[in-house]
Amino acid sequence: MAPKAYFRTGIAILASIAAWFCAGANAADGYPTRPIRMIVGFAPGGGTDLTARPVATKLSELLGQQVIVENRPGAAGISPSSCST
């Protein structure tokens, strides 16, 4: 390769890196942009729910975003990962 080709390749690489950094800075939004859903696998009013609600309140204060506790009871609290085959 001729020295001009190396120079053009270097300029192209630097331009792509600069474009990548500039695009990231302009496209950044505050995280999170929507309310966070905390899913609890047990019925409301149980011990797990009573533990999840204060945690959700503290997370909401720390993140500055609403945290919603969503109870989804079912299958006696058994998750698919804990089932043995």
Side-chain angles (χ1 to χ4, degrees):
M1 255 191 189
K4 274 188 169 181
Y6 285 126
F7 181 73
R8 276 189 253 145
T9 303
I11 294 294
I13 290 171
L14 288 175
S16 64
I17 290 171
W20 184 69
F21 278 113
C22 291
N26 291 336
D29 288 334
Y31 175 81
T33 57
R34 298 181 298 176
I36 300 169
R37 293 186 316 158
M38 179 185 284
I39 298 175
V40 178
F42 295 93
T48 309
D49 183 51
L50 294 175
T51 304
R53 293 195 184 272
V55 170
T57 303
K58 188 65 176 178
L59 275 175
S60 181
E61 292 171 5
L62 289 173
L63 297 174
Q65 186 68 30
Q66 184 180 13
V67 178
I68 301 168
V69 177
E70 188 173 319
N71 296 92
R72 291 192 182 175
I78 299 173
S79 66
S81 60
S82 65
C83 295
S84 61
T85 54

